[in-house]
Amino acid sequence: MELVERVLAGDQWAISKAISAVENGGPEGRAIMKAVFPHVGGAVRIGITGPPGVGKSTLCDAITGVLRPAGRRVGIISVDPSSAFTGGALLGDRIRMGRVAEDPEVFMRSMATRGAFGGLSRATQDAADLLDAAGCQTLLIETVGVGQSEIEVARAADCVGVVLSPESGDGIQAMKSGLMEIADLVVINKADRVGADKLEYDIRSAFELGLKSRRETPILLTEAHRSKGVPELVGAIDQFVAACRADGRFEARRRCNMESRLRQIAEFMIHHSLFEVNGASRRVEALAQRVLERRQSSYDAAEELVREALDPNRGANS
Amino acid sequence: MTAKPRRTFRVLVAKPGLDGHDRGAKVVAAALRDAGFEVVYTGLHQTPEMIVNAALQEDVDAVCVSILSGAHMTLFPEILDLMKRKGMNDVLLCGGGIVPPEDAEQLNRLGVGRLFGPGTDTRDIVEYLTETLPVLRPAG
């Protein structure tokens, strides 16, 4: 495929089209992903997550500002929510990325969640694979502004930074399951504001109550808009990744992430085959009618649907 | 008011140059969002290069530019030229702001799409894009 050749050569137009193809979920996207796979895996994937408004986008911009002069090829994927009502989205991450905007070598793509709930969109990892295959060395994957339990990024990244701001809450928040558990690093952004030291202390104290591995989680203070603390953050990320590579955690995590990825893709395929191929909704309608007429049990009808959906030839062209 | 587009259209809303009046751009961005579009908003002070580069990376169907500074006769042709050079022939460039009719006509002849002035009903913008975009990029 010519498009794939151009993606591998780093052509931005081609990368952009390829991401759209996987995002739209058609057969072309699937074919592209099948073709690029031998070239995927070289890039280090950094997840940036945290509540809305803590400065994730600004931080991505600042991190890029540190990585680029060091000669690294950087790709950024930023996810913002789609409306559950209209499907529309305001993708506003670029507003915070002045440095990125001035550097045409950095590929930055905004994605809408399009109905996904884990903090990323269904195609976010595909887009990351494409940027990886196109030669990016570092990928920043920025989630939507998350609450406490949207932690899918932990299964998409080699290292996750959870970004908070001094307004993010007290130590009890840091003790809860969910978001704080996926932090390989904690970043307290807007550290010039009142309460940053207190939050750092609270998080440190909360971590000390838990597992030993938690206690060593680095906590970094940054002021992303003027890059203060950001070189140190990049240093901490590099150090974390290097340590993981040295002691096998890197490989183990990639294996674990890949397992969950495969489950996700298979799930999507089955869901698609069940409900989205041509004629699927009519089939459901017909079976529902049979159940309503008491000619078949709902479980028998559902078994029939599943049997049909798993037919490998079904939906191959949809 | 929602004429829902058949597939998810992506549009870039941008403000080039030094003009800092972004109320109009925000109103349009919000209207398009509510009509089911994915709107990439770049914010203020964008150069034509930044706008076109963002449009390329985001694979948008349309670039909507708001200009109130009087620089439209420079900025629109520059953006259009850059888009052509990057092979973005199927991407619509349109916009709004203070553009006198005779200037608008000249820009239309160059290949710029509709330019919406003050007082425009946002539904007209939604309708224009919903009708124009599927023709420009049918497969999508």
Side-chain angles (χ1 to χ4, degrees), chain A residues 101-102 104, chain B residues 12 14-18 42-56 63 65 67 71-86 88 93:
Chain A
E102 284 171 14
Chain B
L12 189 90
K15 269 203 76 72
L18 297 174
T42 66
L44 299 167
H45 310 314
Q46 305 287 302
T47 65
E49 286 80 8
M50 286 155 79
I51 291 171
V52 175
N53 198 47
L56 180 81
V63 178
V65 179
I67 304 175
H72 50 269
M73 293 311 280
T74 320
L75 290 169
F76 275 114
E78 221 174 303
I79 294 169
L80 194 64
D81 183 53
L82 281 169
M83 284 170 65
K84 280 184 182 152
R85 271 196 272 160
K86 300 228 180 206
M88 298 161 68
L93 172 64

Side-chain angles (χ1 to χ4, degrees), chain A residues 181 204 206-217:
Chain A
E181 286 177 303
R204 179 64 62 213
F207 281 169
E208 272 165 14
L209 298 174
L211 299 169
K212 188 166 176 295
S213 59
R214 291 273 94 196
R215 290 175 209 167
E216 287 145 24
T217 309

Side-chain angles (χ1 to χ4, degrees), chain A residues 223-298:
Chain A
E223 292 167 43
H225 69 292
R226 57 185 188 116
S227 221
K228 192 166 175 213
V230 178
E232 291 80 0
L233 170 60
V234 171
I237 292 171
D238 284 347
Q239 214 179 335
F240 175 82
V241 172
C244 288
R245 281 194 202 274
D247 65 15
R249 272 179 295 163
F250 190 89
E251 289 303 318
R253 182 160 173 173
R254 284 225 162 159
R255 197 172 314 120
C256 183
N257 287 1
M258 187 52 74
E259 285 168 17
S260 95
R261 177 89 185 279
L262 284 184
R263 274 193 286 268
Q264 209 178 37
I265 295 174
E267 233 173 69
F268 172 75
M269 284 177 174
I270 291 170
H271 185 273
H272 184 85
S273 180
L274 263 174
F275 302 118
E276 284 164 47
V277 295
N278 282 340
S281 62
R282 252 171 303 151
R283 187 76 185 116
V284 174
E285 258 172 53
L287 284 168
Q289 188 58 38
R290 285 230 299 265
V291 176
L292 282 172
E293 290 166 5
R294 297 285 177 267
R295 291 194 285 142
Q296 193 177 24
S297 79
S298 50

Side-chain angles (χ1 to χ4, degrees), chain A residues 89-140:
Chain A
L90 187 82
L91 308 173
D93 295 304
R94 277 185 180 270
I95 302 172
R96 323 288 178 195
M97 298 191 186
R99 274 162 284 212
V100 168
E102 284 171 14
D103 185 346
E105 299 287 305
V106 176
F107 193 102
M108 189 274 167
R109 179 68 170 243
S110 314
M111 299 182 94
T113 52
R114 297 196 180 180
F117 290 109
L120 302 175
S121 74
R122 182 189 57 77
T124 300
Q125 293 209 56
D126 292 335
D129 284 355
L130 287 166
L131 287 172
D132 188 339
C136 288
Q137 295 161 308
T138 303
L139 294 177
L140 302 176

Side-chain angles (χ1 to χ4, degrees), chain B residues 21-123:
Chain B
H21 301 89
D22 61 351
R23 181 82 190 156
K26 283 179 176 163
V27 167
V28 169
L32 293 173
R33 176 202 64 200
D34 291 342
F37 289 74
E38 288 180 3
V39 182
V40 180
Y41 182 52
T42 66
L44 299 167
H45 310 314
Q46 305 287 302
T47 65
E49 286 80 8
M50 286 155 79
I51 291 171
V52 175
N53 198 47
L56 180 81
Q57 294 182 350
E58 299 285 2
D59 191 26
V60 289
D61 301 282
V63 178
C64 308
V65 179
S66 161
I67 304 175
L68 301 161
S69 64
H72 50 269
M73 293 311 280
T74 320
L75 290 169
F76 275 114
E78 221 174 303
I79 294 169
L80 194 64
D81 183 53
L82 281 169
M83 284 170 65
K84 280 184 182 152
R85 271 196 272 160
K86 300 228 180 206
M88 298 161 68
N89 298 315
D90 58 351
V91 180
L92 174 71
L93 172 64
C94 62
I98 313 292
V99 182
E102 55 276 20
D103 288 357
E105 228 169 83
Q106 205 178 323
L107 290 171
N108 293 151
R109 274 199 298 276
L110 282 175
V112 178
R114 286 263 297 272
L115 298 167
F116 296 90
T120 300
D121 189 326
T122 53
R123 283 173 295 193

